[in-house]
Amino acid sequence: MRLSRYFLPVLRETPADAQIASHRLMLRAGMIQQASAGIYSWMPLGLRVLKRLEQIVHEEQMAAGHIPLLMPTLQPASLWQESGRYDDYGQEMLRITDRQERRLVYGPTNEELITDIFRRHVNSYRDLPLTLYHIQWKFRDEIRPRFGIMRGREFLMKDGYNFDVDKDSALHAYNRHMVSYLNTYEKMGLKAIPMRASAGPIGGTHSHEFLVLAETGESEVYFDNDILELTESDHKVDFDNPQECAEVVKRWTTPYARTDETHDPVEFKSQISHSSRRQSRGIEVGQIFYFGTKYSEPMNAFVTNADGDRVPVHMGSHGIGVSRLVGAIIEANHDDRGIIWPEPVAPFLVGIINLAPKDKKTNDVCDDLSRRLSAFGKEPLYDDTHDRAGSKFATMDLIGIPWRLTVGPRGLIKGEIEMSHRRGGQTIICSPDEAINRLCRGNGRRE
Ligand code: P5A
């Protein structure tokens, strides 16, 4: 992508109203633009990151055997009256009346709508277990939208819903979600810790939130330092094996880790040695729930079990804050100069800086690098503009592209370009061929 033809409205000034780094940097990097309080347009660079996150979420959901569908943002109020949540949900729910005087809500979540889909089509335990999910915009009329997309009113969520014939099977679905969420966050380059949480308006007996530690987080959390050592990336779990999933969950839920709503100071002190106790702030990037028959009973979602009895289906729901994750990743990955994207979620893996856009040789080498990277599925952001070199470097640093190739006539006399790493700061001088080899090694796939 040539920068001269792209739309990257970066700001040189720090926006006065943005209080936390991720909000400031997203505005400065031209990723988002506020439309109204807590409602944002996603500009081209921001959209690329959002799409990368969606892709990782889809891959991990499908690996766990979950099935994508797409439900609408607007839902009939009647379903919420059936479950009893129409009145309970309060002012956070945006209620709309259409021209036929039909009452609608802009979905803050989808337990009711999915239960309606389920009950119309599934009657027997033979069709279970089933987990359906989508990635769709939600609206919650938050009283204090703040920190940009971190606490938005309109936000993108992955929400999934499991349907099982009994409690045991539904608890396996809960565990499966926990494992798949751990994998999802790790794939994004994030450390997110599952912490025992309260179920709030979604309801149920089991709930964990996933928290990314950050000083600017809105949640107060308490945990055993040992949990920071755990990782999932080196294990491969069979998602159909309840035992294997339960073992992973046990490993992650044995060390103390709780949000302030479930924190117990006495247990905290008795379970963990003084030196391992941690209290910190965190950003909630996901939450999972098991709520049994809370929706299936009032909404009449029953199935026939193996004994021929009609039983209400057991359910849970599981959410990832996809748009919030963009902010959380920036909170965990930035410096004074700007964002430092983890490679799997970067909007572009490579930035090319042309130091002499009037020089034919320099242009040819930059074009060739762009073409070859694109052929490997790694389309670069190519700064072919006539801006000052210093300003070009500042923009690449600000928008956080992991690798930068700098090409100028002086180096090209010796056949050399400069390759630098945003995170590590190291720079090497090499040939264009070597840069391509390093960036595309082990990945000959055209995407
Ligand atoms: C689980 C999926 C639910 O709504 N129903 C369907 C359940 N859970 S939740 O915890 O309320 O939300 C899931 C995740 O969505 C993100 N989130 C938000 N992101 C940005 N702005 C908001 N106002 C907002 N509210 C919730 C969080 O990451 C949360 O974990």
Side-chain angles (χ1 to χ4, degrees):
M1 175 61 66
R2 281 175 181 271
L3 191 54
S4 62
R5 294 182 199 160
Y6 200 44
F7 181 56
L8 184 70
V10 294
L11 307 177
R12 291 283 166 233
E13 308 298 318
T14 300
D17 54 336
Q19 297 161 28
I20 61 170
S22 57
H23 187 196
R24 271 195 301 275
L25 290 170
M26 287 182 80
L27 290 170
R28 285 195 52 213
M31 293 177 65
I32 51 168
Q33 170 80 52
Q34 184 175 319
S36 165
I39 303 179
Y40 288 84
S41 297
W42 287 78
M43 310 293 257
L45 193 77
L47 182 63
R48 285 184 78 105
V49 179
L50 210 50
K51 292 288 166 198
R52 292 234 186 273
L53 299 186
E54 283 187 33
Q55 182 62 32
I56 293 173
V57 169
H58 276 303
E59 282 166 13
E60 293 303 311
Q61 285 303 303
M62 298 212 252
H66 304 161
I67 302 181
L69 83 174
L70 184 59
M71 291 175 270
T73 53
L74 294 180
Q75 306 176 9
S78 56
L79 291 177
W80 289 73
Q81 283 157 339
E82 272 190 65
S83 73
R85 282 209 295 180
Y86 190 67
D87 295 323
D88 292 354
Y89 219 93
Q91 291 197 307
E92 261 194 27
M93 190 153 73
L94 181 63
R95 295 152 212 255
I96 300 164
T97 307
D98 71 12
R99 62 165 78 191
Q100 318 284 357
E101 296 293 319
R102 279 182 298 235
R103 283 194 283 173
L104 299 167
V105 305
Y106 192 127
T109 175
N110 283 48
E111 281 78 8
E112 284 78 359
L113 193 55
I114 198 86
T115 304
D116 183 51
I117 292 173
F118 177 87
R119 70 182 172 183
R120 287 172 190 234
H121 299 284
V122 183
N123 254 309
S124 161
Y125 76 99
R126 289 202 181 81
D127 296 325
L128 303 181
L130 177 66
T131 294
L132 299 168
Y133 77 94
H134 70 164
I135 300 179
Q136 177 61 292
W137 294 92
K138 304 286 182 287
F139 192 91
R140 294 183 185 173
D141 203 350
E142 300 273 352
I143 193 154
R144 275 190 75 202
R146 59 182 190 151
F147 301 159
I149 46 77
M150 201 73 97
R151 178 166 295 280
R153 291 201 296 160
E154 190 185 47
F155 60 96
L156 190 61
M157 192 200 288
K158 170 265 156 180
D159 40 324
Y161 305 84
N162 69 281
F163 299 92
D164 287 87
V165 71
D166 55 26
K167 183 172 177 181
D168 276 355
S169 173
L171 288 177
H172 169 51
Y174 185 88
N175 290 345
R176 200 174 61 229
H177 277 88
M178 184 175 294
V179 178
S180 77
Y181 277 26
L182 290 167
N183 290 342
T184 303
Y185 299 120
E186 282 196 18
K187 257 206 171 169
M188 294 174 180
L190 266 185
K191 179 125 219 138
I193 308 172
M195 302 204 178
R196 201 195 290 179
S198 82
I202 305 293
T205 50
H206 292 54
S207 187
H208 280 85
E209 286 181 6
F210 292 79
L211 286 118
V212 173
L213 300 180
E215 276 169 30
T216 49
E218 291 191 291
S219 315
E220 190 74 25
V221 296
Y222 302 82
F223 59 96
D224 180 339
N225 195 53
D226 288 356
I227 203 165
L228 298 178
E229 306 299 318
L230 297 178
T231 162
E232 268 321 291
S233 54
D234 43 359
H235 308 116
K236 187 123 185 72
V237 172
D238 174 0
F239 284 104
D240 290 330
N241 184 327
Q243 188 66 28
E244 274 190 35
C245 293
E247 276 163 22
V248 176
V249 169
K250 182 147 186 257
R251 205 146 40 81
W252 282 86
T253 54
T254 303
Y256 189 100
R258 304 210 191 154
T259 62
D260 51 359
E261 292 154 336
T262 55
H263 175 55
D264 178 341
V266 177
E267 263 186 64
F268 190 52
K269 285 202 179 124
S270 63
Q271 275 189 20
I272 321 167
S273 68
H274 182 72
S275 61
S276 293
R277 277 178 228 151
R278 296 284 178 274
Q279 177 178 356
S280 159
R281 307 287 296 175
I283 303 168
E284 181 205 324
V285 292
Q287 188 164 1
I288 56 176
F289 303 82
Y290 162 68
F291 42 70
T293 58
K294 174 177 170 176
Y295 300 89
S296 55
E297 279 199 74
M299 294 187 68
N300 232 344
F302 281 58
V303 289
T304 306
N305 68 12
D307 300 328
D309 299 326
R310 296 289 288 167
V311 292
V313 70
H314 281 252
M315 293 173 61
S317 71
H318 315 275
I320 293 181
V322 180
S323 50
R324 175 177 288 179
L325 268 167
V326 180
I329 292 170
I330 298 175
E331 286 299 323
N333 296 279
H334 70 272
D335 64 12
D336 296 347
R337 289 177 289 143
I339 303 166
I340 308 173
W341 290 114
E343 289 190 13
V345 302
F348 295 92
L349 178 70
V350 188
I352 300 175
I353 290 187
N354 182 332
L355 290 175
K358 290 184 184 144
D359 178 59
K360 179 167 182 326
K361 177 91 190 289
T362 307
N363 286 341
D364 288 348
V365 171
C366 288
D367 285 344
D368 189 54
L369 284 168
S370 287
R371 203 178 34 73
R372 290 165 71 190
L373 285 164
S374 298
F376 276 100
K378 300 176 193 298
E379 185 198 19
L381 181 63
Y382 167 27
D383 190 343
D384 59 340
T385 66
H386 293 269
D387 292 347
R388 284 181 306 107
S391 148
K392 292 186 176 190
F393 291 131
T395 299
M396 280 298 174
D397 282 351
L398 171 64
I399 67 175
I401 307 299
W403 293 96
R404 190 181 77 200
L405 302 179
T406 307
V407 185
R410 226 182 301 160
L412 287 180
I413 294 171
K414 289 180 273 171
E416 288 170 350
I417 65 171
E418 202 183 270
M419 177 172 175
S420 21
H421 194 221
R422 174 73 176 90
R423 188 178 293 276
Q426 69 273 36
T427 292
I428 61 160
I429 307 293
C430 63
S431 67
D433 282 350
E434 188 177 349
I436 296 284
N437 279 341
R438 283 174 179 252
L439 291 167
C440 303
R441 203 171 12 209
N443 183 355
R445 195 158 49 99
R446 275 169 199 264
E447 288 172 3

